[in-house]
Amino acid sequence: MNIKEALKDCFLDHVAIAVNDLDEGEKIYQDLGLVFNKREVVEDQQVETSFAHIDENAHIELLKPIGNDGPISKYIEKKGPGIHHMCFRVKDVTVKSQELRDLGYKLLYEEPRTGANNCLVNFLHPKSTGGVLIEISEKME
Ligand code: CMX
């Protein structure tokens, strides 16, 4: 099988980690050798993000809550900091959301929303994926 061809339409974009403090979170991965080169506030998700490349496609995304009402704030309150979700890049998030819905997965949003890094995103609820929160994302040009 041609791996490059197989990964054309779906590949890992990031692993997201909930943290209380971006500087402290970054230090761990910087000590491993990664370089963080972008921070961004995503108001819609009530987070500040920080990205470091793991390879040419995939990143570590650190997620720090802004305020007390967003999903990351709730997650840290309940479970503490740690791995929060993984995200796969897809060609068309609207089409893929519907395909997955038709297969019986629970999608969080009726329509995809704007996420970090100029992407349109949707999520599969962890109750329909064996306990893993999965984000699917499409890069907007
Ligand atoms: N991974 C795995 N399971 C999770 C989870 C996660 N990240 N977050 C919650 N859960 C589990 C809870 O432990 C709970 O399970 P139990 O009932 O067994 O205790 C269950 O899911 C709760 O589900 P819920 O009551 O429907 O909802 P919550 O209030 O816990 O919120 C979720 C969960 C997924 C709906 C919410 O986190 C959400 O809307 N996430 C999407 C948006 C998001 O995560 N944004 C972050 C920033 C995105 C980015 O910029 O990258």
Side-chain angles (χ1 to χ4, degrees):
M1 183 204 289
N2 181 327
I3 296 288
K4 271 201 169 155
E5 191 60 25
L7 293 178
K8 202 163 50 71
D9 292 343
C10 180
F11 55 84
L12 182 68
D13 182 81
H14 62 261
V15 174
I17 298 165
V19 299
N20 280 313
D21 183 281
L22 287 181
D23 291 331
E24 281 176 21
E26 284 175 355
K27 166 121 189 7
I28 296 160
Y29 301 93
Q30 282 164 344
D31 288 346
L32 279 165
L34 297 186
V35 177
F36 287 84
N37 56 6
K38 189 168 182 230
R39 285 190 182 186
E40 182 183 347
V41 170
V42 184
E43 296 284 354
D44 188 44
Q45 298 286 347
Q46 297 191 47
V47 288
E48 184 174 7
T49 65
S50 180
F51 282 91
H53 269 279
I54 305 172
D55 63 25
E56 59 187 55
N57 289 319
H59 310 77
I60 288 285
E61 178 190 38
L62 303 181
L63 294 166
K64 186 193 89 159
I66 298 171
N68 302 318
D69 293 330
I72 300 304
S73 172
K74 282 190 194 155
Y75 183 85
I76 290 179
E77 198 182 308
K78 235 170 126 178
K79 301 197 177 180
I83 292 184
H84 183 258
H85 67 264
M86 54 205 281
C87 174
F88 293 94
R89 174 68 57 79
V90 297
K91 262 196 165 164
D92 184 324
V93 71
T94 307
V95 169
K96 185 55 87 177
S97 294
Q98 192 54 50
E99 284 174 7
L100 291 166
R101 221 177 260 122
D102 291 344
L103 287 169
Y105 294 94
K106 182 176 173 193
L107 276 292
L108 286 187
Y109 309 142
E110 202 54 47
E111 296 294 334
R113 295 191 188 171
T114 305
N117 253 338
N118 201 26
C119 287
L120 265 183
V121 306
N122 207 337
F123 291 85
L124 282 74
H125 195 285
K127 289 286 183 196
S128 69
T129 58
V132 180
L133 177 61
I134 297 175
E135 178 179 11
I136 51 174
S137 117
E138 170 188 348
K139 189 80 173 165
M140 304 301 287
E141 298 310 332

